[in-house]
DNA sequence: AGCCAAAGCGGAGACAGTCCCCGCTTTCTG
DNA sequence: CAGAAAGCGGGGACTGTCTCCGCTTTGGCT
């Protein structure tokens, strides 16, 4: 998705600098870090920040595009290594872990998975959705995943697992535990 | 929990008025409604609001004590009407529905279910926790619920179900669906 | 090289929210 | 009914968001 018209050199410089500082600030202070502060740290005026990224959401999206793409790529790696059913569960595990560890990613992906959130994050959310479609399809063809489960449901359940795990501290043990309760079911 | 020393008449009046307006404001504008605005609507200064409720959390807690108690009471009603396993599932369903419908309740109960959140909401959170202990115990004794599931895990899973359902619109159909996927498990 | 239109910058400032402080008012007590 | 204590309230400091517009930088063009 290269610019149709290349950015002016100073604009490009500021854009990159902002992205860099935003990543640092979000990592340090959480997804609610002050935007004006990010601008200051990047050595630009706040107007410049808001021109490049009209909303906090837009900035978060730009910052986490890489993390989101990595999640989508990871789906294919797992599909190549493991049986379809295992690949799906392992992917959900990594997806939930990513949503917890990378601060702000859960809310961001959440809005991509929300009912009318299609347009908001069309670009980066879609690669994750496509990955889900593939993994779910294969697991169902294999016969280890319930046939009536939709890919979007799997994504939302991963979000739910992340939410539940977060309450317990959000470490790997909790994620595996709640994911296992989901895959196995609560029935005796 | 009556005051050891009764409140002064004007203090009591303001307290009640604030609670009333806060409930209206949270219902209307969500849990992030302006606190100064609530004070204004209640006809008191912001200082008065902050004296009675030092944090937003404290105000939310006070507003939703009733809703939370109702959830705890509902556990016993369901236990009397249904088989233990069904009572637990139905309660989780109502718990998740409550967390979505009563705006702010999900975040509030979330902090009560969080790892170190014991003290924060000791009072109103504990009645819910005790209800969970009862329902889980009976369902396990009956043999319809996995024996290794902890009550706190059930609460966190209800929170997770609410999170997942919210992404789909948060209506009753979604809640039942995600809860059913959890109880039955994802395996074919 | 030098010009100049357009692209882009940046920070002042309007606005909204949170929360504290402390002089003033109301209530309760004897 | 007076005095002390409890409580009030709103001004104001502070932080964050976001816009506006005069000024600067850039890059194509000669």
């Amino acid at each position: 998705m290269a610019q149709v018209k290349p950015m002016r050199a100073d604009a490009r410089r500021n854009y990159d600098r902002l992205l860099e500082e935003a990543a640092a600030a979000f990592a340090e202070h959480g997804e609610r870090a002050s935007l004006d502060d990010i601008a200051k740290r990047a050595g630009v005026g706040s107007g410049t920040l808001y021109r490049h990224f009209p909303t906090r959401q837009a900035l978060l999206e730009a910052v986490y595009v890489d993390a989101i793409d990595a999640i989508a790529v990871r789906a294919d790696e797992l599909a190549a290594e493991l049986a379809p059913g295992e690949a799906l569960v392992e992917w959900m595990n990594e997806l939930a872990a990513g949503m917890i560890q990378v601060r702000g990613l859960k809310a961001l992906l959440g809005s991509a998975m929300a009912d009318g959130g299609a347009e908001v994050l069309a670009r980066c959310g879609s690669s994750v959705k496509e990955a889900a479609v593939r993994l779910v399809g294969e697991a169902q063809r294999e016969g280890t995943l319930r046939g009536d489960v939709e890919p979007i449901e799997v994504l939302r359940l991963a979000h739910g697992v992340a939410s539940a795990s977060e309450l317990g501290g959000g470490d790997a043990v909790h994620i595996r535990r709640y994911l296992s309760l989901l895959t196995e079911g609560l029935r005796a």
Side-chain angles (χ1 to χ4, degrees), chain A:
Chain A
M1 195 177 278
Q3 299 288 319
V4 177
K5 207 164 195 182
M7 281 171 118
R8 235 172 69 170
D10 54 346
R12 163 105 258 143
R13 213 182 313 127
N14 287 328
Y15 184 95
D16 290 345
R17 199 73 219 296
L18 278 167
L19 221 45
E20 205 175 311
E21 288 301 331
F26 287 140
E28 189 175 345
H29 301 112
E31 64 199 286
R32 318 205 39 177
S34 159
L35 296 184
D36 274 26
D37 202 50
I38 289 171
K40 204 156 291 169
R41 285 174 58 167
V44 305
S46 48
T48 302
L49 187 154
Y50 287 102
R51 197 167 337 94
H52 284 302
F53 310 99
T55 63
R56 175 181 294 275
Q57 180 86 342
L59 180 55
L60 274 169
E61 185 175 350
V63 166
Y64 291 123
V65 160
D66 289 349
I68 291 170
D69 279 351
I71 286 169
V73 167
R74 193 76 187 118
D76 293 330
E77 290 175 17
L78 290 168
E81 290 169 22
L82 302 169
E86 286 168 30
L88 176 62
V89 172
E90 190 54 33
W91 188 64
M92 288 177 74
N93 185 60
E94 294 187 12
L95 179 54
M99 287 199 272
I100 292 173
Q101 276 157 28
V102 182
R103 298 176 73 167
L105 194 55
K106 179 162 155 265
L108 181 64
L109 282 176
S111 63
M113 296 170 188
D115 202 16
E119 321 88 33
V120 184
L121 291 173
R123 173 156 146 35
C124 63
S126 64
S127 61
V128 172
K129 277 182 205 157
E130 283 157 24
V133 170
R134 266 175 274 141
L135 289 176
V136 166
E138 287 186 35
Q140 286 174 336
R141 229 166 289 129
E142 183 199 31
T144 48
L145 175 68
R146 285 173 59 152
D148 65 341
V149 178
E150 302 285 341
I152 188 73
E153 289 177 333
V154 165
L155 291 175
R156 289 175 184 165
L157 285 168
H159 182 97
V161 166
S163 294
S165 306
E166 247 177 350
L167 298 177
D171 54 283
V173 177
H174 279 94
I175 300 170
R176 290 233 178 253
R177 169 66 176 165
Y178 290 113
L179 187 55
S180 141
L181 288 172
L182 172 63
T183 54
E184 304 298 326
L186 292 181
R187 285 212 195 294

